[in-house]
Amino acid sequence: MIQYIIAFLIESAHLGGIMARKDDLIEGIAVGATIACLVHCLALPLLFALVPVISAVLPIPEHFHVIALGLAIPATGGALFAGYRRHRLATPLIAGTAGLVLLTLGATHWEATPLETPVTVFGSLCIAAAHLANWRYRRASQLNAA
């Protein structure tokens, strides 16, 4: 996944056009947010398990996941829909929607249960895959149009 992000940044610098840069920025922000979500879902529980004092010092508000979800839905939806308008392939939209549904279930229905972390991690991976596929399809459609 990191190789795709590095390739994304390198190719973004080479291909011109205001619309391409705007779409790349949106896609880059969405991928970054997805990676931050994965780090949060995987590393934070381990850190809290290893150092119980941290959870008392840095409490996470109960509504944090709802706020994060409120940011993820428009960012993911906007980036994937913008890509769809360009390449007309529904695969990233379907994968992104599935990921958002899983994140929603994890944050609302399975919060504080054993299912929360695996469901949200799988949802984040679906979203990351959707963004990477969207980015590749957009690049391919740009190159074919040129």
Side-chain angles (χ1 to χ4, degrees):
M1 182 152 118
I2 298 215
Q3 70 185 18
Y4 288 115
I5 294 169
I6 292 170
F8 166 74
L9 295 173
I10 291 170
E11 282 193 42
S12 295
H14 293 287
L15 294 174
I18 293 172
M19 185 56 76
R21 282 182 267 158
K22 180 182 171 191
D23 288 348
D24 286 344
L25 177 65
I26 293 169
E27 202 81 55
I29 290 169
V31 169
T34 301
I35 291 170
C37 182
L38 281 170
V39 169
H40 167 78
C41 289
L42 294 174
L44 210 53
L46 290 175
L47 186 62
F48 284 170
L50 294 175
V51 187
V53 176
I54 290 177
S55 64
V57 176
L58 295 173
I60 296 175
E62 287 185 30
H63 59 279
F64 171 79
H65 290 113
V66 175
I67 293 170
L69 189 61
L71 297 172
I73 290 171
T76 297
L80 295 178
F81 187 71
Y84 174 77
R85 286 192 330 231
R86 179 165 296 152
H87 54 65
R88 298 287 185 205
L89 297 168
T91 307
L93 276 175
I94 293 168
T97 301
L100 288 172
V101 167
L102 290 171
L103 284 182
T104 302
L105 289 172
T108 59
H109 295 299
W110 293 316
E111 188 173 18
T113 69
L115 288 175
E116 179 185 11
T117 298
V119 167
T120 54
V121 166
F122 188 65
S124 293
L125 290 173
C126 287
I127 292 170
H131 283 300
L132 292 173
N134 193 50
W135 172 65
R136 293 180 86 184
Y137 292 151
R138 279 191 312 101
R139 290 286 160 208
S141 68
Q142 276 180 320
L143 294 175
N144 290 337

